Amino acid sequence: MSTTNPADSAQLKDIVAHAKEYGFVFQSSEIYDGLAAVYDYGPNGVELKNNLKRLWWETMTQLHGNVVGLDAAIFMDPRTWQASGHIAGFNDPLVDNLDSKKRYRADVLLEEKAAEYEAAGDPGRGAALTAEMGRLLTDNDLAGVRQLILDEKIKCPVSGTGNWTDVRQFNLMFSTQGSAVDSDAPPVYLRPETAQGIFVNFLNVQKSARLKVPFGIAQIGKAFRNEIVARQFIFRMREFEQMEMQFFVRPGTEGHWYDTWKAARRRFHEALGLPAHKLRFHDHDKLAHYAKAAVDIEYEFPFGFKEMEGIHSRSDFDLTQHQELSRKKQQYFDNDVNPETGKPYGNYVPYVVETSVGADRLFLATLCEALQTETITEGEGEEQKTKTRTVLRLHPAVAPVKAAIFPLVRKDGLPEKAQQLFDSLKFDFRLVVEERDSIGTRYTRQDLIGTPFCIAVDHQTLEDDTVTVRHRDSRLQTRMPIADLRGFIGEAVSFKRVFELL
Ligand code: ATP
């Protein structure tokens, strides 16, 4: 969105093209020219996304005895959004360029400008700009925000002019008809975040699962925001998926839990293979109405460091709001003894620390990181030649296909042997059998979708039940008994490889 639109970077274009060609992500309704900021996941994309979601889910609910899951509905009583502040206060500041007629988020324009200062080696000026923006937005001083855009001489990337309208607040929630019979019935909203489904179920979950504070509730689900489109592929969508965990704590301990989850969540991304130097924490300049402290985990996408996950200390804001509007107590009785008073802590509304990561943004970061082009040398002596290879170096635990089985030729019983191998391993792993084209072409195809292992079935296999296993990253080939395959692949693709690093 800045004048040098980094969203148009060649790297992002390559990723978008690769995602389409190899069945990861398609533009929604493409045959009708596409619906802006809505995307569909293809055959490989859905596997990768499901693996990422399952990895997050197990990290939360399996590795922590005090975190349980929930799957709340997308529709909620409209009063939920009154209580949460989304109807009255959860707005984004928008500004239009009068020449191009393009609409932008004012805060995004200013953040891009601050990023430009930082990239130009003046981080102090960038920080001062975002701090000033934060102050103006907190005061709801929209005229001040416009003036800041003018003072900074921010131009529309399309028209190149600084001819801006007033800044207005715009509610990002989608709504739909709430009742088939009563046209005066209030609209129902498509939830803009999954968190509220957790808050309104706080006591149901705590009681049914007999949980003691501190405990967490994890949820994965769709959320909807009528975003201004910023040409950043699946980074900013109007229908997207969130993976959120609300951690309910005793008031006064939220600082400790905020720091704990902040560190834990960063470790998760590193364990998955996102390099430390491409991750950073970014404290919020403008706190949302519910937040006491908030930090983003940013990843360096091709268009710069951007938020992938938010960690928020939400105090007792949401539960208290629901308590007031629903007139149902949202309290927890803590019978642990307070060492200072010698008495139980008693009744209170817990404080909440939230971790919220977009499944789509994690997917995009994973794809950006994995897609690599390298120069390789093949053959020996005079036959030797160099060529470039594109390979998707996905962590084996999240790769869509774990191993591809190739009969060397389509005769002599090799296809049948390959099929037997497929049948003997299919209960354990997602595999494919490929018979067509040369072995080299088949390797290339699997490299492009990130398959960690290719298994060649040849004539020797018929004699001694061994196969050649080709490793995606090193391209090394090793001969291995079929009997060892389950253990070998299982070890490499297990979520344990990620869990061990957490
Ligand atoms: P942004 O500032 O980029 O609009 P946000 O601060 O509004 O994001 P949160 O409300 O904290 O985002 O949502 C938590 C997470 O949900 C984000 O870190 C992001 O990964 C994801 N998310 C939010 N909005 C979108 C969107 N429009 N498309 C895809 N993912 C999103």
Side-chain angles (χ1 to χ4, degrees), residues 84-114:
S84 69
H86 282 83
I87 290 178
F90 210 91
N91 298 309
D92 276 356
L94 295 190
V95 64
D96 291 44
N97 182 271
L98 287 164
D99 298 317
S100 67
K101 310 271 183 278
K102 293 279 174 204
R103 179 166 292 174
Y104 300 96
R105 259 175 61 181
D107 55 332
V108 174
L109 285 179
L110 288 163
E111 276 170 7
E112 297 280 356
K113 187 75 191 174

Side-chain angles (χ1 to χ4, degrees), residues 105 225 227 235-237 240 242 307-308 356 358 361:
R105 259 175 61 181
R225 295 182 193 175
E227 299 270 15
F235 179 82
R236 191 170 299 285
M237 300 157 89
F240 57 101
Q242 289 186 313
E307 169 174 353
M308 184 167 57
S356 175
R361 288 192 189 174

Side-chain angles (χ1 to χ4, degrees), residues 33-77:
D33 298 331
L35 185 62
V38 186
Y39 292 89
D40 302 335
Y41 286 83
N44 287 317
V46 66
E47 296 292 340
L48 173 57
K49 192 177 184 201
N50 281 343
N51 289 341
L52 288 168
K53 290 195 293 186
R54 202 160 54 81
L55 184 67
W56 179 90
W57 185 259
E58 291 185 14
T59 300
M60 285 299 174
T61 64
Q62 189 173 312
L63 303 194
H64 300 97
N66 59 351
V67 178
V68 296
L70 179 75
D71 184 15
I74 287 170
F75 290 144
M76 301 184 71
D77 187 302

Side-chain angles (χ1 to χ4, degrees), residues 396-431:
V398 296
V401 177
K402 303 306 181 196
I405 305 172
F406 303 159
L408 190 64
V409 290
R410 294 168 87 176
K411 55 182 185 185
D412 304 337
L414 296 187
E416 291 75 11
K417 186 73 181 170
Q419 190 58 43
Q420 262 177 27
L421 191 53
F422 176 89
D423 288 335
S424 72
L425 291 173
K426 71 181 179 191
F427 294 157
D428 299 276
F429 312 112
R430 186 158 186 277
L431 309 162

Side-chain angles (χ1 to χ4, degrees), residues 128-417:
L129 176 56
T130 44
E132 175 63 1
M133 175 190 85
R135 189 187 66 73
L136 292 165
L137 288 174
T138 307
D139 294 348
N140 205 20
D141 180 356
L142 298 181
V145 173
R146 177 171 188 270
Q147 193 55 47
L148 194 57
I149 292 176
L150 296 178
D151 292 348
E152 289 292 336
K153 301 195 172 39
I154 295 175
K155 303 276 186 282
C156 164
V158 177
S159 68
T161 71
N163 197 3
W164 299 108
T165 60
D166 287 344
V167 176
R168 287 157 298 121
Q169 292 285 18
F170 176 75
N171 197 305
L172 294 179
M173 279 201 295
F174 284 102
S175 61
T176 186
Q177 195 69 40
S179 161
V181 283
D182 178 2
S183 54
D184 291 333
V188 288
Y189 295 96
L190 276 74
R191 64 182 176 196
E193 62 177 25
T194 54
Q196 298 304 325
I198 294 180
F199 289 126
V200 300
N201 276 299
F202 151 71
L203 280 178
N204 282 338
V205 173
Q206 185 267 322
K207 287 185 177 145
S208 60
R210 302 173 58 244
L211 293 160
K212 274 176 71 86
V213 163
F215 70 90
I217 306 177
Q219 173 166 233
I220 299 178
K222 289 265 177 146
F224 304 83
R225 295 182 193 175
N226 201 354
E227 299 270 15
I228 297 303
V229 181
R231 288 189 291 160
Q232 286 165 336
F233 193 35
I234 54 171
F235 179 82
R236 191 170 299 285
M237 300 157 89
R238 293 195 288 161
E239 172 179 343
F240 57 101
E241 225 166 337
Q242 289 186 313
M243 306 193 282
E244 296 201 305
M245 197 274 304
Q246 313 290 326
F247 201 68
F248 298 87
V249 307
R250 185 183 293 152
T253 63
E254 66 276 12
H256 161 75
W257 289 111
Y258 179 70
D259 293 340
T260 304
W261 282 110
K262 189 175 149 180
R265 293 305 305 149
R266 189 185 167 126
R267 277 199 303 277
F268 173 86
H269 299 299
E270 289 184 19
L272 191 53
L274 301 181
H277 71 274
K278 285 182 141 188
L279 293 168
R280 72 178 189 193
F281 288 121
H282 177 251
D283 286 308
H284 278 210
D285 304 298
K286 178 200 178 230
L287 290 181
H289 56 276
Y290 55 76
K292 277 188 114 186
V295 66
D296 295 335
I297 300 179
E298 295 185 337
Y299 168 75
E300 191 175 13
F301 289 97
F303 37 89
F305 272 102
K306 296 275 177 211
E307 169 174 353
M308 184 167 57
E309 169 151 8
I311 323 275
H312 308 126
S313 187
R314 293 180 78 129
S315 73
D316 59 357
F317 175 83
D318 302 86
L319 289 180
T320 306
Q321 288 285 106
H322 288 304
Q323 176 168 274
E324 276 169 21
L325 201 63
S326 67
R327 296 169 192 264
K328 309 262 168 26
K329 280 223 178 323
Q330 298 298 309
Q331 288 187 343
Y332 168 80
F333 184 78
D334 188 339
N335 54 15
D336 279 3
V337 173
N338 179 346
E340 280 173 22
T341 62
K343 294 191 183 131
Y345 284 97
N347 272 315
Y348 55 77
V349 178
Y351 271 40
V352 171
V353 173
E354 163 184 82
T355 72
S356 175
V357 56
D360 312 276
R361 288 192 189 174
L362 179 60
F363 181 103
L364 181 58
T366 305
L367 209 56
C368 292
E369 203 50 54
L371 188 60
Q372 295 175 12
T373 304
E374 60 188 21
T375 308
I376 56 168
T377 314
E378 276 183 348
E380 309 236 321
E382 294 204 344
E383 301 279 285
Q384 201 177 63
K385 50 181 191 236
T386 48
K387 61 175 203 175
T388 51
R389 165 174 96 131
T390 301
V391 53
L392 201 58
R393 290 184 192 270
L394 292 171
H395 193 298
V398 296
V401 177
K402 303 306 181 196
I405 305 172
F406 303 159
L408 190 64
V409 290
R410 294 168 87 176
K411 55 182 185 185
D412 304 337
L414 296 187
E416 291 75 11
K417 186 73 181 170

